[in-house]
Amino acid sequence: MAKETLGFQAEVKQLLQLMIHSLYSNKEIALRELISNASDACDKLRFEALNHASLYENDGELAIAVSFNKDARTLTISDNGIGMSREEVISNIGTIARSGTKEFFSQLSGDAKKDANLIGQFGVGFYSAFIIADRVTLTTRRAGAPASEAVRWESAADGEFTIEAVEKAGRGTEIVLHLKEGEDELLSDWRLRSIIKKYSDHITLPIRMQKAPGYDKDGNVEISDEIETVNQANALWARSKSDISDEQYTEFYKHVAHDFEDPLAWSHAKVEGRQEYTELLYIPARAPFDLYDRERRHGVKLYVKRVFIMEDSDKLMPQYLRFVRGVIDSADLPLNVSREILQHSKDIEQIKSGCVKKVLGLLESMASSDEQAEKDKYAKFWQEFGRVLKEGVGEDFANKDKIAGLLRFASTHLDTSEEVVSLADYIGRMKEGQEVIYYITADSFAAAQHSPHLEVFRKKGIEVLLLGDRVDEWVVSSLHEFDGKKLQSVAKGELDLSKFEDEEEKKQQEAAATEMKDVVEKVKEVLADKVKDVRITHRLTDSAACIVVDNADMSANLERLLKSAGQDVKGAKPILELNPEHLLVKKLKSEIASARFHDWTELLFDQAQLSEGAQLDDPAAFVKRLNSLMLSMA
């Protein structure tokens, strides 16, 4: 048949320009798409040959070949798969978004659909070739057709293509890319191998190239005719767990995560049901240097039938699990036309949700294990990734309780900076009659540990969680209770420890409140524009004063954090609490009629702010006032 020149469909002309210039963000993906299509073609042949073995034509070893010619500036991808007839070429390649695989699927029924290892959108992926080539030549012959019925298709993406009958001895498809100017990096053996390993390493078919040139004993370049397989051609995650050793799991982790250390743990499972996918997810042993860069785009790799699609933790893992590494291999996913960006869909959310539960379950099993080795693993995990996991309390409402159970804190129980106390541990040690989990937030562990708010809790032996991380404010603002016990800041609201006080203590407090009533009223007058209220405290034993806020108000620590981040925050006025047993407060009472009462009041208020970690509005005035009072008492 003579060569014919045909025009593309109208929408193809428009979409072709869009695809070439803006649809694909990475030129390497052109090679990925063409190899993926070749893999599809081999899968189709394998499936059809189940009933028609003659289609193999005495060549049952399916493979993909990649080669290049520097002189001609061509890159060639070929396969010995199912091939195409003239009608199929026009139908699949002349029509964009028409999928040969999709058509093939529609002809199947029953269990055949499940058995068919088919993916892709042939017509779409093929056009990615024009990102790197200004002319593409495709030669193909359908399996079972005579050699004389092969077809050659060629186009320069100018709105037309030519098609003609040619001779082709072997079945399958050969695509020759005539590279554009500036694409010479693809005429490199090393570059092609690296792209294949990156995107197509785990395609189950061998991808073959000519062996790289070597050197003889005299240093001369030796060109080899030997052909070798470039990819692994074996998807480890698709194998049964019983066939995979721990060493193999570990080596695969190092490959997929580019890490030199062994992973802490992993989860490998095949999920069946409405969504079928395999997940192999790893918990690393150490945090990467860019762990706190929330814009980074590394994490879990998504495969569709062993073909790499993307690597993006945001789509497949929530931000608070951005340290997870591994692969998810789905039987079918809704992808956009470039196969780079996942569409929003319930299927994606279902896979994401299932994998999140797997990871949290893996962490739970380590944290709650009776084996010391597993507990040590979780302690190491927490040291590396605990601050990131805390973000999940506010981000993942569905799993908030599970995440809360995995959190670890420092507390007054050990009174060290080690974060080893779980909320369950705390509840197990609660005093009889205690109904809430007490905590304090501060700029640092030391500031929390030495806060005056802890004085009465230490005296009565009531445990308090010491929260010194910035993210802790985010945690407690989202986590209001755990296992039926409310969380309560010791620096918020009026403190009710009446259940832990005897009658004598209650009488002393009532007497002190009565005795100091005139002082409280006078202090309110002096600090009228600075505080919401002044009252006698029951939470101090050693300090003279402290400031607290109402339960509904923003904590002083959170206000400082927001201001340091550039937020224009106007927090509520604090409440000043005075310790009637402290000598400075007694001195304040003795000065109630003195002109120095104002200075004593301001001094106590500034001290209370400093002990909270606040920055004084007028430090110079504080120093001047302090010096004046010290000299007056000298």
Side-chain angles (χ1 to χ4, degrees):
M1 184 180 293
K3 181 187 289 190
E4 286 185 81
T5 300
L6 303 173
F8 286 114
Q9 288 186 341
E11 66 270 18
V12 175
K13 295 178 184 179
Q14 299 167 6
L15 286 176
L16 191 53
Q17 292 305 308
L18 174 67
M19 172 139 343
I20 293 169
H21 297 296
S22 61
L23 192 57
Y24 281 77
S25 62
N26 189 337
K27 293 182 179 181
E28 298 174 354
I29 290 172
L31 189 58
R32 180 195 82 182
E33 290 291 330
L34 296 176
I35 290 176
S36 173
N37 289 341
S39 175
D40 287 351
C42 292
D43 284 336
K44 288 179 182 179
L45 175 63
R46 186 184 290 139
F47 190 81
E48 286 196 15
L50 291 175
N51 297 321
H52 306 285
S54 61
L55 292 176
Y56 279 128
E57 301 176 5
N58 298 317
D59 176 19
E61 188 180 357
L62 302 177
I64 301 166
V66 177
S67 61
F68 62 94
N69 185 320
K70 281 190 175 181
D71 296 331
R73 299 189 70 259
T74 59
L75 174 63
T76 302
I77 298 96
S78 60
D79 66 74
N80 59 347
I82 192 69
M84 289 181 285
S85 65
R86 184 179 185 278
E87 290 72 24
E88 286 172 323
V89 169
I90 294 174
S91 176
N92 292 335
I93 305 234
T95 308
I96 209 158
R98 167 75 174 270
S99 169
T101 301
K102 213 171 183 180
E103 291 293 304
F104 185 71
F105 255 131
S106 69
Q107 297 174 21
L108 305 177
S109 60
D111 288 339
K113 283 188 179 181
K114 197 170 184 179
D115 297 334
N117 194 23
L118 308 176
I119 62 162
Q121 295 185 340
F122 186 93
V124 175
F126 172 78
Y127 280 102
S128 64
F130 287 105
I131 299 169
I132 56 176
D134 52 23
R135 183 162 55 93
V136 176
T137 304
L138 176 146
T139 306
T140 184
R141 176 170 72 78
R142 190 82 162 65
S148 59
E149 290 186 12
V151 179
R152 177 166 294 148
W153 177 100
E154 191 170 72
S155 177
D158 53 3
E160 296 180 334
F161 61 88
T162 63
I163 192 165
E164 63 180 316
V166 294
E167 290 273 339
K168 187 176 186 300
R171 67 168 189 273
T173 302
E174 177 188 84
I175 298 172
V176 179
L177 309 179
H178 304 267
L179 297 179
K180 294 177 180 178
E181 290 297 325
E183 302 298 342
D184 288 22
E185 66 166 348
L186 295 173
L187 299 173
S188 157
D189 179 86
W190 175 85
R191 183 75 178 113
L192 291 175
R193 287 169 186 264
S194 66
I195 294 172
I196 291 169
K197 281 186 174 293
K198 180 178 181 180
Y199 291 103
S200 309
D201 202 31
H202 300 288
I203 281 181
T204 51
L205 297 166
I207 302 171
R208 294 170 176 162
M209 288 182 66
Q210 184 176 336
K211 193 170 183 179
Y215 297 91
D216 62 19
K217 60 183 180 180
D218 298 322
N220 299 315
V221 176
E222 279 189 325
I223 305 297
S224 173
D225 292 330
E226 188 179 340
I227 301 298
E228 62 181 3
T229 299
V230 180
N231 64 325
Q232 286 190 13
N234 182 3
L236 177 132
W237 63 84
R239 290 155 53 188
S240 169
K241 286 195 283 187
S242 59
D243 295 337
I244 308 171
S245 66
D246 286 354
E247 289 76 16
Q248 288 173 316
Y249 274 122
T250 299
E251 285 306 312
F252 179 70
Y253 164 75
K254 290 177 180 179
H255 166 76
V256 80
H258 304 289
D259 195 357
F260 59 87
E261 286 191 35
D262 292 352
L264 273 182
W266 58 82
S267 167
H268 184 195
K270 184 173 183 180
V271 180
E272 296 182 333
R274 193 172 71 84
Q275 264 296 317
E276 291 189 19
Y277 62 92
T278 300
E279 51 90 357
L280 176 52
L281 304 172
Y282 292 89
I283 307 294
R286 64 181 181 89
F289 72 93
D290 56 354
L291 179 65
Y292 294 99
D293 177 6
R294 289 173 64 93
E295 298 303 313
R296 61 197 292 279
R297 283 291 174 264
H298 306 295
V300 175
K301 295 176 184 286
L302 173 67
Y303 286 77
V304 174
K305 286 296 183 186
R306 301 168 186 75
V307 178
F308 176 65
I309 301 298
M310 66 185 296
E311 181 177 17
D312 189 342
S313 60
D314 194 41
K315 298 288 192 304
L316 301 165
M317 279 287 160
Q319 277 287 335
Y320 72 92
L321 293 180
R322 57 185 177 272
F323 52 82
V324 175
R325 296 290 180 268
V327 300
I328 296 170
D329 188 358
S330 173
D332 186 29
L333 277 178
L335 304 173
N336 81 340
V337 75
S338 74
R339 296 174 64 178
E340 286 186 272
I341 304 168
L342 295 168
Q343 292 175 343
H344 294 292
S345 75
K346 290 181 180 178
D347 293 335
I348 301 301
E349 289 302 316
Q350 187 179 2
I351 290 176
K352 184 176 181 178
S353 174
C355 289
V356 167
K357 284 182 169 60
K358 283 286 184 184
V359 172
L360 295 179
L362 185 60
L363 294 174
E364 280 180 341
S365 67
M366 279 195 288
S368 60
S369 175
D370 294 330
E371 297 179 23
Q372 191 58 44
E374 290 297 299
K375 289 182 178 179
D376 291 344
K377 279 185 182 180
Y378 190 75
K380 185 174 183 182
F381 161 79
W382 183 259
Q383 189 176 359
E384 294 289 328
F385 303 107
R387 292 169 70 185
V388 176
L389 187 66
K390 285 179 181 179
E391 297 172 12
V393 174
E395 289 182 5
D396 190 349
F397 181 79
N399 293 298
K400 182 163 69 173
D401 291 339
K402 273 191 174 185
I403 299 166
L406 292 168
L407 302 184
R408 297 293 182 266
F409 305 97
S411 85
T412 54
H413 176 66
L414 294 176
D415 219 19
T416 70
S417 59
E418 286 185 278
E419 294 185 331
V420 295
V421 177
S422 69
L423 293 175
D425 292 338
Y426 182 102
I427 291 173
R429 288 193 294 264
M430 282 171 64
K431 293 178 73 72
E432 187 178 347
Q434 185 180 343
E435 297 296 331
V436 298
I437 298 170
Y438 291 107
Y439 69 87
I440 184 168
T441 57
D443 292 334
S444 65
F445 167 77
Q449 184 185 32
H450 300 121
S451 170
H453 294 100
L454 299 180
E455 292 173 4
V456 73
F457 291 90
R458 291 188 185 280
K459 179 182 176 182
K460 296 185 178 297
I462 300 172
E463 186 175 358
V464 180
L465 300 177
L466 307 174
L467 312 183
D469 277 343
R470 282 173 166 256
V471 72
D472 288 332
E473 283 287 357
W474 170 256
V475 172
V476 295
S477 66
S478 304
L479 186 67
H480 303 297
E481 66 172 55
F482 178 79
D483 198 18
K485 305 292 184 183
K486 289 188 176 181
L487 274 72
Q488 171 67 46
S489 169
V490 299
K492 278 190 172 188
E494 288 204 55
L495 187 62
D496 181 11
L497 296 179
S498 57
K499 291 182 179 179
F500 310 107
E501 295 168 348
D502 55 32
E503 288 302 316
E504 186 62 30
E505 283 181 301
K506 291 178 182 177
K507 287 179 181 178
Q508 288 176 355
Q509 289 171 5
E510 289 171 6
T514 302
E515 186 182 347
M516 299 295 290
K517 188 175 181 181
D518 55 341
V519 175
V520 169
E521 292 301 322
K522 188 77 180 284
V523 171
K524 279 185 185 178
E525 290 177 22
V526 174
L527 300 175
D529 59 338
K530 295 181 178 179
V531 299
K532 180 186 288 188
D533 196 9
V534 180
R535 61 195 182 206
I536 296 301
T537 187
H538 308 307
R539 66 182 95 216
L540 299 178
T541 59
D542 301 319
S543 301
C546 68
I547 56 174
V548 298
V549 295
D550 279 337
N551 278 321
D553 291 340
M554 183 188 303
S555 73
N557 188 51
L558 179 57
E559 183 181 338
R560 288 193 297 275
L561 287 175
L562 293 175
K563 284 181 177 177
S564 69
Q567 299 289 323
D568 184 16
V569 180
K570 293 181 180 178
K573 289 180 181 179
I575 297 165
L576 178 66
E577 292 193 351
L578 302 174
N579 177 6
E581 301 302 319
H582 199 278
L583 289 175
L584 281 178
V585 178
K586 289 181 178 180
K587 176 67 176 174
L588 184 67
K589 181 174 174 60
S590 70
E591 298 277 357
I592 195 166
S594 165
R596 289 197 299 265
F597 184 87
H598 183 280
D599 285 344
W600 279 110
T601 299
E602 291 282 4
L603 180 69
L604 283 173
F605 180 62
D606 286 348
Q607 283 185 340
Q609 285 187 294
L610 287 172
S611 66
E612 274 289 310
Q615 187 172 353
L616 300 181
D617 291 334
D618 190 351
F622 168 74
V623 173
K624 186 177 180 181
R625 191 177 297 119
L626 179 62
N627 290 343
S628 173
L629 290 171
M630 288 170 65
L631 288 170
S632 70
M633 297 178 68

